[in-house]
Amino acid sequence: MKYYKIGIVLVFALLFLEMKSYKKSIYHKGWIDFNKNGVKDIFEDSNALLEKRVDNLISLMNTDEKTCQLTTLYGFARVLEDEMPNDSWKKRVWKDGIANIDEHLNTIHGREKTYTQYSYPYSNHAEAINKVQKWFVEETRLGIPVDFTNEGVHGLCHNQATPLPAPIGIGSTWNKDLVYKAGTIVGREAKALGYTNVYAPILDVARDPRWGRVLECYGEEPFHISEMGKQMVRGIQSQGVASTLKHFAVYSIPKGARDGDARTDPHVAPREMYQLHLYPFKKVIKEAAPMGVMSSYNDYDGVPVTASHYFLTELLREKYGFNGYVVSDSEAVEYVSDKHHVAKDYKEAVKQVIEAGLNVRTTFRTPESFIEPLRELIKDGEISMKTIDDRVADVLRVKFRLGLFDEPYVKNAKDADKLVHTYEDKEFSKQINRESLVLLKNENNLLPLDVNQIKNILVTGPLADEVSFTYSRYGPANNASVSVYQGIKKYAGDKVNVNYVKGCDIIDPNWPGSEIIPTPLSPKEQEEINKAVEKAKLSDIIIAVVGEDEKRVGETKSRTSLGLPGRQFQLIRELYATGKPVVLVMINGQPLTINWENKFLPAILEAWFPSTVAGDVIAETLFGDYNPGGKLSVTFPKTVGQIPLNFPYKPGSQAGQPGEGPNGYGNTRVIGALYPFGYGLSYTTFEYSDLIVNPKSINSQANIKVSFKIKNTGQVAGDEVVQMYVKDLVSSVTTYESILRGFERVHLKPGETKEIYFTLQPDDLEILDKNMNWTVESGDFKVMIGSSSVDIELDDTFNIK
């Protein structure tokens, strides 16, 4: 019996060694035998043409394997229960492969169930991803590698990756080179950690400031968004990683900005849709060739976008030339039947989205929940195999382009420890946060503060010693963070006595109801304000840090009012009443209606949602080590009653009402922006001169060269964002009052002059004519150069023959 047992053990050992040897044998010099048939098939040949490889692989796939390439497996602690492969995987649907695995082992800030030993050190993650990839290559019949996806709009969504400010802050930099560099960092870190596809950038046009995701958009103006988006895509994809655009299409303007359970019914006219909301997608796809697009869960004019053949096939692929693969935003497929009610049941919804052009269903549900009804539809002949093959081909094409069939693994996992969040990345993170700051007011040059002239500073406000806003569900986790109070205290050192009193909470107990039915302050709330006021009386300067946090803005968090939440306004008023100068530092994710604050407070600095270096960069800026040069990428309204109030806008659409004349009784409403699009101040001054437009008369398909000079006329170095706007003076359809068609962030030393060059191309002058055709019409155009959409310093005209 003893020898019998030994014999069995030896047999199993030999089988194991044979299996191990067999698995090793799939790896050959220059190619991998993914389907384990001992022959180099066309799809395994890196020298074969891309389409030949795709066609060959599809010809070898069965229905089960094809359907598995059309859905996402959400990673550990979302849907996947396991950190590493195990025997149970052979009983799950992904035994036949999977399109992608999303957010596997990444760690999300504040969500402890996602924390894992495999996310950090970085090499642990790279090795773990290799093991997961190895399972799919070696344990599935065809060995099709996985595309590992992850979020990346605030920096890569991974434990201790390099943090970036919120996209609205990135948009406020107006610095294209900086955005490209940010993209390269996100892409490099993704590649080193084993991710091959990043869900970024967001190209949504933020036209309603009440919408909670304004902070995740670059701004409200489509040309500005497209220029920033192009650089982010190019940066990410320069590292051999796919960039997936979000959210296609007309996603950012749900009715009344209502998000969450609504997410439907955008009120957008067709011409506005093409010229505003689709413009960034069209431009970025044509000029930067992203490999991915995420389809949105809203409808347009009654048709769910994710079930629309027009949006996903005719527009996206046939007109814009997109050749990657489309994933659905969470619940977009389910909403077709459950919310939009254009399908009788979920199974019919699956049919509609696949036939429309969706490639991969992505949501927090098991892959089986999509694959099983899809297989039933195929079996019943309700979806053709030709359609399935087309959808699978798009996914495989991206995997081939990413090199997953040539090198499916992270080559040197240990290198991740040297490639992620380096010293240079930390310095870059500081710089992009600095450049995102916008100086909104600086009466009598109160800023910068002189650390040698101040003895006592009070730092107050609900966000003064808070860091929660420096993290994002869509960005890195667990980086050390510095609050504004900590940053100021550290900067001042022993030179200044820096005190802190919170003053009030971000919201009151009755918020948001208190925004429409005000309630009196409780004795405790008044006591907290009184503490701040008493300390303020003993201070030379007050720095009030107010606004919103991550619980007030973001996905599914739209607002009714745009004033400061809770008791913050009462705190500021009482601080102002002390007679001491108040510097307002704004932490917020959307434009706020700070009319009183703008009228009475001497200095206001807009910081948006900075990342973890918030305190350091704000302190440097307040004390003059850094001269703020950011510009607003969204319009600040004076009241929600003005909404929509944006740039660009149609002639007269944001005008006032006559106070005189035959109808002169219209002085009944507040008009004008609090701060216009493109606005931002500096600690120095600039002068524009010598505008040249050449040629002054051209044919419609020629380029126009525009040049001018910009000079720093102040005493300190600084950045100016020069902006070029174009106005079509007469057109066949009503066009916008003016449109942005060029911008550059320029650094100038005191007294320094630089010459700036822009080129206007034919598509910069296109409009949708009466027949909805893109056309460059003949006539006169005006070029306007300035420091914002309203501060125009130079202008000239040219003619299209």
Coordinates of all heavy atoms in Angstrom, one line a residue, residues 159-232:
N159 N -3.2 52.9 -5.9 CA -2.6 53.2 -4.6 C -1.3 54.0 -4.8 O -0.3 53.4 -5.3 CB -2.4 51.9 -3.8 CG -2.0 52.1 -2.4 OD1 -2.0 53.2 -1.9 ND2 -1.7 51.0 -1.7
Q160 N -1.3 55.2 -4.3 CA -0.1 56.1 -4.3 C 0.5 56.4 -5.7 O 1.7 56.6 -5.8 CB 1.0 55.5 -3.4 CG 0.5 55.3 -1.9 CD 1.6 54.8 -1.0 OE1 2.7 55.3 -0.9 NE2 1.3 53.7 -0.3
A161 N -0.4 56.4 -6.7 CA 0.1 56.9 -8.0 C 0.2 58.4 -7.9 O -0.2 59.0 -6.9 CB -0.9 56.4 -9.1
T162 N 0.6 59.0 -9.0 CA 0.8 60.5 -9.0 C -0.5 61.2 -9.1 O -1.3 61.0 -10.0 CB 1.7 60.9 -10.2 OG1 2.9 60.3 -10.1 CG2 1.9 62.4 -10.2
P163 N -0.9 62.1 -8.1 CA -2.2 62.7 -8.1 C -2.2 64.0 -9.0 O -1.2 64.7 -9.1 CB -2.4 63.1 -6.6 CG -1.0 63.3 -6.1 CD -0.1 62.3 -6.9
L164 N -3.3 64.2 -9.6 CA -3.5 65.4 -10.4 C -4.7 66.1 -9.8 O -5.6 65.5 -9.2 CB -3.8 65.0 -11.9 CG -2.8 64.3 -12.6 CD1 -3.3 63.9 -14.0 CD2 -1.5 65.0 -12.7
P165 N -4.8 67.5 -10.0 CA -6.0 68.2 -9.6 C -7.2 67.7 -10.4 O -7.1 67.0 -11.4 CB -5.7 69.6 -9.9 CG -4.6 69.6 -11.0 CD -3.9 68.3 -10.7
A166 N -8.4 68.1 -10.0 CA -9.6 67.7 -10.7 C -9.5 68.3 -12.1 O -8.9 69.3 -12.3 CB -10.9 68.3 -10.0
P167 N -10.2 67.6 -13.1 CA -10.1 68.1 -14.5 C -10.5 69.6 -14.6 O -9.9 70.3 -15.5 CB -11.1 67.2 -15.2 CG -10.9 65.9 -14.5 CD -10.8 66.3 -13.0
I168 N -11.4 70.1 -13.8 CA -11.8 71.5 -14.0 C -10.6 72.4 -13.6 O -10.4 73.5 -14.2 CB -13.0 71.9 -13.1 CG1 -13.5 73.3 -13.4 CG2 -12.7 71.7 -11.6 CD1 -14.1 73.4 -14.8
G169 N -9.7 71.9 -12.7 CA -8.5 72.6 -12.4 C -7.5 72.5 -13.5 O -6.8 73.4 -13.9
I170 N -7.4 71.2 -14.1 CA -6.5 71.0 -15.2 C -6.9 71.9 -16.4 O -6.1 72.6 -17.0 CB -6.5 69.5 -15.7 CG1 -5.9 68.7 -14.6 CG2 -5.7 69.4 -17.0 CD1 -6.1 67.2 -14.8
G171 N -8.2 72.0 -16.6 CA -8.7 72.9 -17.7 C -8.3 74.4 -17.4 O -8.1 75.1 -18.4
S172 N -8.3 74.8 -16.2 CA -8.0 76.2 -15.8 C -6.5 76.5 -16.0 O -6.1 77.7 -15.9 CB -8.4 76.4 -14.4 OG -9.8 76.3 -14.2
T173 N -5.7 75.5 -16.2 CA -4.2 75.8 -16.5 C -4.1 76.4 -17.9 O -3.1 77.1 -18.2 CB -3.4 74.5 -16.4 OG1 -3.7 73.6 -17.5 CG2 -3.5 73.8 -15.1
W174 N -5.0 76.0 -18.9 CA -4.9 76.3 -20.3 C -3.5 76.0 -20.8 O -3.0 76.7 -21.8 CB -5.2 77.8 -20.5 CG -6.6 78.2 -20.2 CD1 -7.2 78.1 -19.0 CD2 -7.6 78.8 -21.1 NE1 -8.5 78.6 -19.1 CE2 -8.8 79.0 -20.4 CE3 -7.5 79.1 -22.5 CZ2 -9.9 79.5 -21.0 CZ3 -8.7 79.6 -23.0 CH2 -9.8 79.8 -22.3
N175 N -2.8 75.0 -20.3 CA -1.4 74.7 -20.6 C -1.4 73.4 -21.3 O -1.4 72.3 -20.7 CB -0.5 74.7 -19.4 CG 0.9 74.6 -19.7 OD1 1.3 74.0 -20.8 ND2 1.8 75.2 -18.9
K176 N -1.3 73.4 -22.7 CA -1.4 72.1 -23.4 C -0.2 71.2 -23.2 O -0.3 70.0 -23.1 CB -1.5 72.5 -24.9 CG -2.9 73.1 -25.3 CD -3.0 73.6 -26.7 CE -2.4 74.9 -26.8 NZ -2.6 75.6 -28.1
D177 N 1.0 71.9 -23.1 CA 2.2 71.1 -22.8 C 2.1 70.3 -21.5 O 2.5 69.2 -21.4 CB 3.4 72.0 -22.9 CG 3.7 72.5 -24.2 OD1 3.2 71.9 -25.2 OD2 4.4 73.6 -24.3
L178 N 1.6 71.0 -20.5 CA 1.4 70.5 -19.2 C 0.5 69.3 -19.2 O 0.7 68.3 -18.6 CB 0.9 71.5 -18.2 CG 1.2 71.4 -16.7 CD1 2.7 71.6 -16.5 CD2 0.5 72.4 -15.9
V179 N -0.6 69.4 -20.0 CA -1.6 68.3 -20.0 C -1.0 67.1 -20.8 O -1.3 66.0 -20.4 CB -2.9 68.8 -20.7 CG1 -3.9 67.7 -20.9 CG2 -3.5 69.9 -19.9
Y180 N -0.2 67.4 -21.8 CA 0.4 66.2 -22.5 C 1.4 65.5 -21.5 O 1.4 64.3 -21.4 CB 1.2 66.7 -23.7 CG 2.0 65.6 -24.3 CD1 1.4 64.8 -25.3 CD2 3.4 65.4 -24.1 CE1 2.1 63.8 -25.9 CE2 4.1 64.4 -24.7 CZ 3.5 63.6 -25.6 OH 4.2 62.6 -26.2
K181 N 2.1 66.3 -20.7 CA 3.0 65.7 -19.7 C 2.2 64.9 -18.7 O 2.6 63.8 -18.3 CB 3.8 66.8 -19.0 CG 4.7 66.3 -17.9 CD 5.9 65.4 -18.4 CE 6.8 65.1 -17.3 NZ 7.8 64.1 -17.7
A182 N 1.1 65.4 -18.2 CA 0.2 64.7 -17.3 C -0.2 63.4 -17.9 O -0.2 62.3 -17.2 CB -1.0 65.5 -16.9
G183 N -0.6 63.4 -19.2 CA -1.0 62.2 -19.9 C 0.1 61.1 -19.9 O -0.1 59.9 -19.8
T184 N 1.4 61.6 -20.2 CA 2.5 60.7 -20.3 C 2.7 60.0 -18.9 O 3.1 58.8 -18.8 CB 3.8 61.3 -20.7 OG1 4.2 62.3 -19.8 CG2 3.6 62.0 -22.1
I185 N 2.5 60.8 -17.8 CA 2.7 60.2 -16.5 C 1.6 59.1 -16.2 O 1.9 58.0 -15.7 CB 2.7 61.3 -15.4 CG1 3.9 62.2 -15.5 CG2 2.6 60.7 -14.0 CD1 3.9 63.4 -14.7
V186 N 0.4 59.5 -16.5 CA -0.7 58.5 -16.3 C -0.4 57.3 -17.1 O -0.6 56.1 -16.6 CB -2.1 59.1 -16.7 CG1 -3.2 58.1 -16.7 CG2 -2.4 60.3 -15.7
G187 N 0.0 57.4 -18.4 CA 0.2 56.3 -19.3 C 1.4 55.5 -18.8 O 1.4 54.2 -18.8
R188 N 2.5 56.2 -18.4 CA 3.7 55.4 -17.9 C 3.4 54.6 -16.7 O 3.8 53.5 -16.6 CB 4.8 56.4 -17.6 CG 6.0 55.8 -16.9 CD 7.2 56.6 -16.6 NE 7.0 58.0 -16.5 CZ 6.8 58.7 -15.4 NH1 6.6 58.0 -14.2 NH2 6.7 60.0 -15.4
E189 N 2.7 55.2 -15.7 CA 2.4 54.5 -14.5 C 1.4 53.3 -14.8 O 1.6 52.3 -14.2 CB 1.8 55.5 -13.5 CG 2.7 56.5 -13.0 CD 2.2 57.4 -11.9 OE1 1.0 57.5 -11.7 OE2 3.1 58.0 -11.2
A190 N 0.4 53.5 -15.7 CA -0.5 52.5 -16.0 C 0.3 51.3 -16.6 O 0.2 50.1 -16.2 CB -1.5 53.0 -17.0
K191 N 1.2 51.6 -17.6 CA 2.0 50.6 -18.3 C 2.9 49.8 -17.3 O 2.9 48.6 -17.3 CB 2.9 51.2 -19.3 CG 3.7 50.2 -20.2 CD 2.8 49.6 -21.3 CE 3.7 48.9 -22.3 NZ 2.8 48.3 -23.3
A192 N 3.5 50.5 -16.4 CA 4.4 49.9 -15.4 C 3.7 49.0 -14.4 O 4.2 48.0 -14.0 CB 5.2 51.0 -14.6
L193 N 2.4 49.3 -14.1 CA 1.6 48.6 -13.1 C 0.8 47.4 -13.8 O 0.3 46.6 -13.1 CB 0.6 49.5 -12.4 CG 1.3 50.5 -11.4 CD1 0.4 51.7 -11.1 CD2 1.7 49.7 -10.1
G194 N 0.8 47.4 -15.1 CA 0.1 46.3 -15.8 C -1.2 46.7 -16.4 O -1.9 45.9 -17.0
Y195 N -1.6 48.0 -16.3 CA -2.9 48.4 -16.9 C -2.5 48.8 -18.4 O -1.5 49.3 -18.7 CB -3.4 49.7 -16.2 CG -3.7 49.5 -14.8 CD1 -3.0 50.1 -13.8 CD2 -4.8 48.7 -14.4 CE1 -3.2 50.0 -12.5 CE2 -5.1 48.5 -13.0 CZ -4.3 49.1 -12.1 OH -4.6 49.0 -10.7
T196 N -3.5 48.5 -19.3 CA -3.3 48.7 -20.7 C -4.3 49.6 -21.3 O -4.2 49.9 -22.5 CB -3.3 47.4 -21.4 OG1 -4.4 46.6 -21.0 CG2 -2.0 46.5 -21.1
N197 N -5.2 50.1 -20.5 CA -6.3 51.0 -21.0 C -6.7 51.9 -19.9 O -7.1 51.5 -18.8 CB -7.4 50.1 -21.5 CG -8.4 50.9 -22.4 OD1 -8.7 52.1 -22.2 ND2 -9.1 50.2 -23.3
V198 N -6.7 53.2 -20.2 CA -7.1 54.2 -19.1 C -8.3 54.9 -19.5 O -8.4 55.5 -20.7 CB -5.9 55.2 -18.9 CG1 -6.3 56.3 -17.9 CG2 -4.7 54.5 -18.5
Y199 N -9.3 55.0 -18.6 CA -10.6 55.7 -18.9 C -10.4 57.2 -18.6 O -10.7 57.7 -17.6 CB -11.7 55.1 -18.0 CG -12.1 53.7 -18.4 CD1 -12.8 52.9 -17.6 CD2 -11.8 53.2 -19.7 CE1 -13.2 51.6 -17.9 CE2 -12.2 51.9 -20.1 CZ -12.9 51.1 -19.2 OH -13.3 49.9 -19.5
A200 N -9.9 57.9 -19.6 CA -9.6 59.3 -19.6 C -9.2 59.7 -21.0 O -8.7 58.9 -21.7 CB -8.5 59.6 -18.6
P201 N -9.4 61.0 -21.4 CA -10.0 62.1 -20.6 C -11.5 62.1 -20.7 O -12.1 61.4 -21.5 CB -9.4 63.3 -21.2 CG -9.3 62.9 -22.7 CD -8.9 61.5 -22.7
I202 N -12.2 62.9 -19.9 CA -13.6 63.3 -20.0 C -13.7 64.5 -20.9 O -13.1 65.5 -20.7 CB -14.2 63.6 -18.6 CG1 -14.3 62.3 -17.8 CG2 -15.6 64.2 -18.7 CD1 -14.8 62.5 -16.4
L203 N -14.5 64.3 -22.0 CA -14.7 65.4 -23.0 C -16.0 66.0 -22.9 O -16.4 66.8 -23.8 CB -14.4 64.8 -24.4 CG -13.0 64.3 -24.7 CD1 -12.9 63.9 -26.2 CD2 -12.0 65.3 -24.3
D204 N -16.8 65.8 -21.8 CA -18.1 66.4 -21.7 C -18.0 67.9 -21.6 O -17.1 68.4 -20.9 CB -18.8 65.8 -20.4 CG -19.0 64.3 -20.5 OD1 -19.3 63.8 -21.6 OD2 -18.7 63.6 -19.5
V205 N -19.0 68.6 -22.2 CA -19.0 70.0 -22.2 C -19.9 70.5 -21.0 O -21.1 70.2 -21.1 CB -19.5 70.6 -23.5 CG1 -19.5 72.1 -23.6 CG2 -18.7 70.0 -24.7
A206 N -19.4 71.1 -20.0 CA -20.1 71.5 -18.8 C -20.9 72.8 -19.0 O -20.3 73.8 -18.7 CB -19.1 71.6 -17.6
R207 N -22.1 72.7 -19.4 CA -22.9 73.9 -19.7 C -23.8 74.3 -18.6 O -24.5 75.3 -18.6 CB -23.7 73.7 -21.0 CG -22.8 73.4 -22.2 CD -22.0 74.5 -22.6 NE -22.8 75.6 -23.3 CZ -22.2 76.6 -23.9 NH1 -20.9 76.8 -23.8 NH2 -22.9 77.6 -24.5
D208 N -24.0 73.4 -17.6 CA -24.9 73.7 -16.4 C -24.1 73.6 -15.1 O -23.8 72.5 -14.7 CB -26.1 72.8 -16.4 CG -27.2 73.3 -15.5 OD1 -26.9 73.9 -14.4 OD2 -28.4 73.2 -15.8
P209 N -23.8 74.7 -14.5 CA -22.9 74.6 -13.3 C -23.6 73.9 -12.1 O -22.9 73.6 -11.2 CB -22.7 76.1 -13.0 CG -23.8 76.9 -13.6 CD -24.2 76.1 -14.8
R210 N -24.9 73.6 -12.1 CA -25.5 72.9 -11.1 C -25.1 71.4 -11.1 O -25.3 70.7 -10.1 CB -27.0 73.0 -11.1 CG -27.5 74.4 -10.9 CD -29.0 74.6 -11.2 NE -29.2 74.3 -12.6 CZ -30.4 74.3 -13.2 NH1 -31.5 74.6 -12.4 NH2 -30.6 74.1 -14.5
W211 N -24.7 70.9 -12.3 CA -24.4 69.5 -12.5 C -23.2 69.1 -11.7 O -22.2 69.8 -11.7 CB -24.2 69.3 -14.0 CG -24.0 67.9 -14.4 CD1 -24.8 66.8 -14.1 CD2 -22.9 67.3 -15.1 NE1 -24.3 65.6 -14.7 CE2 -23.1 65.9 -15.3 CE3 -21.7 67.9 -15.7 CZ2 -22.3 65.1 -16.0 CZ3 -20.9 67.0 -16.4 CH2 -21.1 65.7 -16.5
G212 N -23.3 68.0 -11.0 CA -22.3 67.6 -10.0 C -20.9 67.3 -10.6 O -19.9 67.4 -9.9
R213 N -20.9 66.9 -11.9 CA -19.6 66.4 -12.5 C -18.9 67.5 -13.2 O -18.0 67.3 -14.0 CB -19.9 65.2 -13.4 CG -20.4 64.0 -12.7 CD -20.3 62.7 -13.5 NE -19.0 62.1 -13.3 CZ -18.7 60.9 -13.8 NH1 -19.7 60.2 -14.5 NH2 -17.5 60.4 -13.7
V214 N -19.3 68.8 -13.0 CA -18.5 69.9 -13.6 C -17.1 69.8 -13.2 O -16.2 70.0 -14.1 CB -19.1 71.3 -13.2 CG1 -18.2 72.4 -13.6 CG2 -20.5 71.5 -13.8
L215 N -16.8 69.4 -12.0 CA -15.4 69.3 -11.6 C -14.6 68.3 -12.4 O -13.4 68.3 -12.4 CB -15.3 69.0 -10.1 CG -15.3 67.5 -9.6 CD1 -14.7 67.4 -8.2 CD2 -16.7 66.9 -9.7
E216 N -15.3 67.3 -13.0 CA -14.6 66.3 -13.8 C -14.5 66.6 -15.3 O -14.1 65.8 -16.1 CB -15.2 64.9 -13.6 CG -15.1 64.4 -12.2 CD -15.9 63.2 -11.9 OE1 -16.6 62.7 -12.8 OE2 -15.8 62.8 -10.7
C217 N -14.9 67.9 -15.6 CA -14.8 68.3 -17.0 C -13.7 69.4 -17.1 O -13.4 70.1 -16.2 CB -16.1 68.9 -17.5 SG -17.5 67.8 -17.3
Y218 N -13.2 69.6 -18.3 CA -12.2 70.6 -18.5 C -12.8 72.0 -18.6 O -12.1 73.0 -18.3 CB -11.4 70.4 -19.8 CG -10.5 69.2 -19.8 CD1 -10.4 68.3 -20.9 CD2 -9.6 69.0 -18.7 CE1 -9.5 67.2 -20.8 CE2 -8.8 67.9 -18.6 CZ -8.7 67.0 -19.7 OH -7.9 65.9 -19.7
G219 N -14.1 72.1 -18.9 CA -14.7 73.4 -19.0 C -16.0 73.3 -19.8 O -16.6 72.3 -20.0
E220 N -16.4 74.5 -20.3 CA -17.7 74.7 -21.0 C -17.5 74.9 -22.5 O -18.5 75.0 -23.2 CB -18.5 75.8 -20.3 CG -17.9 77.2 -20.6 CD -18.6 78.3 -19.9 OE1 -19.5 78.0 -19.0 OE2 -18.4 79.5 -20.2
E221 N -16.3 75.1 -22.9 CA -16.1 75.6 -24.3 C -15.5 74.5 -25.1 O -14.4 73.9 -24.8 CB -15.2 76.8 -24.3 CG -15.3 77.7 -25.5 CD -14.6 77.1 -26.7 OE1 -13.6 76.4 -26.5 OE2 -15.1 77.4 -27.9
P222 N -16.1 74.1 -26.2 CA -15.7 72.8 -26.9 C -14.3 72.9 -27.5 O -13.6 71.9 -27.5 CB -16.8 72.7 -28.0 CG -17.4 74.0 -28.1 CD -17.4 74.6 -26.8
F223 N -13.9 74.0 -28.1 CA -12.5 74.1 -28.6 C -11.5 73.9 -27.5 O -10.5 73.2 -27.7 CB -12.3 75.4 -29.4 CG -10.9 75.6 -29.9 CD1 -10.6 75.1 -31.2 CD2 -9.9 76.3 -29.3 CE1 -9.3 75.2 -31.7 CE2 -8.6 76.4 -29.8 CZ -8.4 75.9 -31.0
H224 N -11.6 74.6 -26.4 CA -10.7 74.5 -25.3 C -10.7 73.0 -24.8 O -9.6 72.5 -24.6 CB -11.2 75.4 -24.2 CG -10.5 75.2 -22.9 ND1 -11.1 74.4 -21.9 CD2 -9.4 75.7 -22.3 CE1 -10.3 74.4 -20.8 NE2 -9.2 75.2 -21.1
I225 N -11.8 72.4 -24.7 CA -11.9 71.0 -24.2 C -11.2 70.1 -25.2 O -10.4 69.2 -24.8 CB -13.4 70.6 -24.0 CG1 -14.0 71.4 -22.9 CG2 -13.5 69.1 -23.8 CD1 -15.5 71.3 -22.9
S226 N -11.4 70.3 -26.5 CA -10.8 69.4 -27.5 C -9.2 69.6 -27.5 O -8.5 68.6 -27.6 CB -11.3 69.7 -28.8 OG -11.0 71.0 -29.3
E227 N -8.7 70.8 -27.3 CA -7.3 71.0 -27.3 C -6.7 70.3 -26.1 O -5.6 69.7 -26.2 CB -7.0 72.5 -27.3 CG -7.3 73.2 -28.6 CD -6.5 72.7 -29.8 OE1 -5.3 72.8 -29.8 OE2 -7.1 72.0 -30.7
M228 N -7.3 70.4 -24.9 CA -6.8 69.8 -23.7 C -6.9 68.3 -23.9 O -6.0 67.5 -23.5 CB -7.5 70.3 -22.5 CG -7.5 71.8 -22.3 SD -5.9 72.5 -22.1 CE -5.8 72.7 -20.4
G229 N -8.1 67.8 -24.4 CA -8.3 66.4 -24.5 C -7.3 65.7 -25.5 O -6.9 64.6 -25.2
K230 N -7.0 66.4 -26.6 CA -6.0 65.9 -27.5 C -4.7 65.6 -26.9 O -4.1 64.5 -27.1 CB -5.8 66.9 -28.7 CG -6.8 66.8 -29.8 CD -6.3 67.5 -31.0 CE -6.0 69.0 -30.7 NZ -5.7 69.8 -31.9
Q231 N -4.3 66.5 -26.1 CA -3.0 66.4 -25.4 C -3.0 65.2 -24.4 O -2.0 64.5 -24.3 CB -2.5 67.7 -24.7 CG -2.4 68.8 -25.7 CD -1.4 68.5 -26.9 OE1 -0.4 67.8 -26.7 NE2 -1.7 68.9 -28.1
M232 N -4.1 65.1 -23.7 CA -4.2 64.0 -22.7 C -4.2 62.7 -23.4 O -3.5 61.7 -23.0 CB -5.4 64.2 -21.8 CG -5.6 63.1 -20.7 SD -4.2 63.1 -19.5 CE -4.6 64.5 -18.6

